[in-house]
Amino acid sequence: MDELIARIEAASGPDRELDARIAIAFDLAQGNVMVGVDGWVINSLTNPNPHQARDFTGSVDAGLTLVPRGWIVEIRRYFNSDGEYVSSVNLTDSGTVGRGCHPEEEITVQSRIVERRDGDDPTPRALCAAALRARAA
């Protein structure tokens, strides 16, 4: 899982291979377990029922579907003083917030991606990476 997170955060834009790997990691591949081309996930080279993964690394809406139920989503997007596009995503398990819980017991995961100003919006990738971290928490 750590290797997939690192690859997502290092990607320079949407990546269909990573989308397929994310679908497999989240058991969304409908029984398919191999990565094909253009976001397809398959059982084998002869699988009659391939499944195309959603555009997780290119769409905020698709990325939000990966966030575990009950987690609070905080997204910050801005340009820093160097003119780079920054996307920071924090996910917090709402079951660990309030109701007498100590702040030290709060479970929060984060992903922060910095992209060139003319690059793709890094928010979908930051969401994917944070959602994978939340799943592992």
Side-chain angles (χ1 to χ4, degrees):
M1 188 92 59
D2 290 340
E3 180 184 336
L4 180 56
I5 292 169
R7 287 188 61 196
I8 292 167
E9 291 180 331
S12 60
D15 185 310
R16 297 301 288 146
E17 178 199 349
L18 290 176
D19 293 334
R21 293 190 185 285
I22 291 166
I24 291 169
F26 277 89
D27 296 325
L28 302 173
Q30 300 178 358
N32 300 298
V33 294
M34 291 175 53
V35 175
V37 295
D38 295 327
W40 289 90
V41 285
I42 54 179
N43 275 329
S44 69
L45 297 177
T46 59
N47 182 10
N49 297 310
H51 170 73
Q52 190 165 30
R54 292 187 66 181
D55 185 19
F56 298 116
T57 58
S59 164
V60 170
D61 290 338
L64 283 169
T65 66
L66 300 174
V67 176
R69 173 172 267 140
W71 285 66
I72 301 165
V73 179
E74 177 186 3
I75 299 172
R76 294 182 186 165
R77 300 188 300 183
Y78 57 93
F79 290 103
N80 65 17
S81 60
D82 294 328
E84 298 167 316
Y85 195 174
V86 179
S87 181
S88 177
V89 174
N90 291 319
L91 302 179
T92 304
D93 183 350
S94 63
T96 65
V97 178
R99 291 184 254 138
C101 293
H102 294 286
E104 303 87 42
E105 296 173 357
E106 184 176 292
I107 299 174
T108 299
V109 295
Q110 178 185 36
S111 178
R112 183 174 180 273
I113 298 177
V114 178
E115 195 65 58
R116 294 182 328 275
R117 186 178 195 109
D118 58 348
D120 289 301
D121 178 4
T123 305
R125 288 175 282 128
L127 266 170
C128 292
L132 282 164
R133 286 190 174 103
R135 181 181 169 107

